[in-house]
Amino acid sequence: FFFFFFFQAEDGIRDAQESRGLGDVYKRQVSTQSTGSSVKQSMGISRDSFHKRRKTGGKLTLWRKKRKFELGRPPSMTKIGSTRIHTVRARGGNLKYRALRLDSGNFSWASESITKKCRVLNVVYNASNNELVRTNTLVKGSIIEIDATPFRQFYEQHYGVQIGKKKEDEEATKKSNHLERKLKARNINHTLAKDMDAQFTKGRLLAVVTSRPGQSGRCDGALIEGAELKFYEAKMAKKKGK
């Protein structure tokens, strides 16, 4: 006599892949399309060095599999628009703030030792990729144009001198003797560079982004002035000439 015994899985169909333990025997099922083929999975971003060759050209032996701490994430490609920031959980429970859209940031004027919150207008130059300029993508090191109004208001209040306006448009305002003396003392040995004055007339200032919008969720930077300003103006004039 021959006896045949049939056992049925309690929670579902047995996985088509090899089991990695008793807990995986009935847990997973292979997702299939109507044709019966398995669904294609996209390849992950990895920051490991195992796939690279040695300096001599030899291949490395893969003595371990990928690790979680070697993962990479897609770039945020931050655009100019109403603020939108995603929070990403990183290693050790730390948080990264992935800025998808930003429209303003804190920018410092080094020679005046002042920082103001200004509106970001557009990206005008990027040394690494012209595509980032065409798409107005904010990354660290980008040269951008910002609104000059906050710095113009500070300058007029601090020095009592109107900038960015023609002489015909200047309006005389009454000031106390104490304020007159204070402004006069501040203006001793102080002049605004012609390049900066020309920018204030346009209402746009050139600045460089020093923060990392895809990591910190901020677009902060510093105004460009002096020899650096001349350098970038020449670069952009040459680019327009082409």
Side-chain angles (χ1 to χ4, degrees), residues 150-189:
F151 287 108
R152 180 177 55 80
Q153 291 174 344
F154 154 76
Y155 197 92
E156 292 175 359
Q157 182 181 9
H158 191 72
Y159 294 104
V161 179
Q162 292 187 351
I163 56 176
K165 295 181 181 180
K166 297 180 181 179
K167 291 185 178 180
E168 296 83 17
D169 300 335
E170 293 183 0
E171 297 178 0
T173 55
K174 290 185 178 181
K175 299 172 185 175
S176 64
N177 293 333
H178 173 71
L179 182 58
E180 289 282 358
R181 291 195 303 271
K182 187 163 65 172
L183 295 178
K184 186 178 180 180
R186 286 176 181 171
N187 282 304
I188 296 176
N189 300 326

Side-chain angles (χ1 to χ4, degrees), residues 80-114:
I80 299 175
S82 57
T83 303
R84 185 179 184 187
I85 301 173
H86 284 183
T87 304
V88 179
R89 196 266 189 192
R91 192 174 185 197
N94 297 309
L95 296 178
K96 289 184 178 182
Y97 299 97
R98 189 81 76 233
L100 304 181
R101 289 195 300 267
L102 290 173
D103 58 359
S104 62
N106 295 328
F107 295 90
S108 63
W109 191 355
S111 61
E112 296 293 338
S113 301
I114 190 70

Side-chain angles (χ1 to χ4, degrees), residues 21-192:
L22 295 176
D24 286 343
V25 174
Y26 306 113
K27 188 170 65 175
R28 298 178 56 197
Q29 294 183 357
V30 179
S31 58
T32 57
Q33 297 176 346
S34 58
T35 56
S37 60
S38 59
V39 178
K40 293 182 180 179
Q41 294 182 351
S42 60
M43 199 168 179
I45 302 173
S46 182
R47 299 178 65 251
D48 67 310
S49 59
F50 277 100
H51 64 281
K52 296 184 178 180
R53 289 175 177 260
R54 296 186 178 93
K55 290 183 179 179
T56 58
K59 286 187 176 181
L60 290 174
T61 303
L62 298 177
W63 53 270
R64 72 175 188 192
K65 293 189 177 182
K66 294 180 182 179
R67 295 293 187 264
K68 183 74 161 56
F69 56 79
E70 294 172 342
L71 65 81
R73 298 184 181 92
S76 62
M77 305 299 283
T78 309
K79 307 297 181 187
I80 299 175
S82 57
T83 303
R84 185 179 184 187
I85 301 173
H86 284 183
T87 304
V88 179
R89 196 266 189 192
R91 192 174 185 197
N94 297 309
L95 296 178
K96 289 184 178 182
Y97 299 97
R98 189 81 76 233
L100 304 181
R101 289 195 300 267
L102 290 173
D103 58 359
S104 62
N106 295 328
F107 295 90
S108 63
W109 191 355
S111 61
E112 296 293 338
S113 301
I114 190 70
T115 300
K116 293 291 182 181
K117 183 177 181 180
C118 300
R119 189 164 52 92
V120 178
L121 301 178
N122 64 324
V123 180
V124 294
Y125 184 77
N126 192 301
S128 63
N129 192 351
N130 287 332
E131 194 69 11
L132 300 178
V133 179
R134 187 184 67 82
T135 56
N136 273 342
T137 303
L138 298 173
V139 295
K140 183 178 179 180
S142 294
I143 307 301
I144 62 175
E145 284 184 337
I146 62 173
D147 185 19
T149 304
F151 287 108
R152 180 177 55 80
Q153 291 174 344
F154 154 76
Y155 197 92
E156 292 175 359
Q157 182 181 9
H158 191 72
Y159 294 104
V161 179
Q162 292 187 351
I163 56 176
K165 295 181 181 180
K166 297 180 181 179
K167 291 185 178 180
E168 296 83 17
D169 300 335
E170 293 183 0
E171 297 178 0
T173 55
K174 290 185 178 181
K175 299 172 185 175
S176 64
N177 293 333
H178 173 71
L179 182 58
E180 289 282 358
R181 291 195 303 271
K182 187 163 65 172
L183 295 178
K184 186 178 180 180
R186 286 176 181 171
N187 282 304
I188 296 176
N189 300 326
H190 180 274
T191 55
L192 183 66

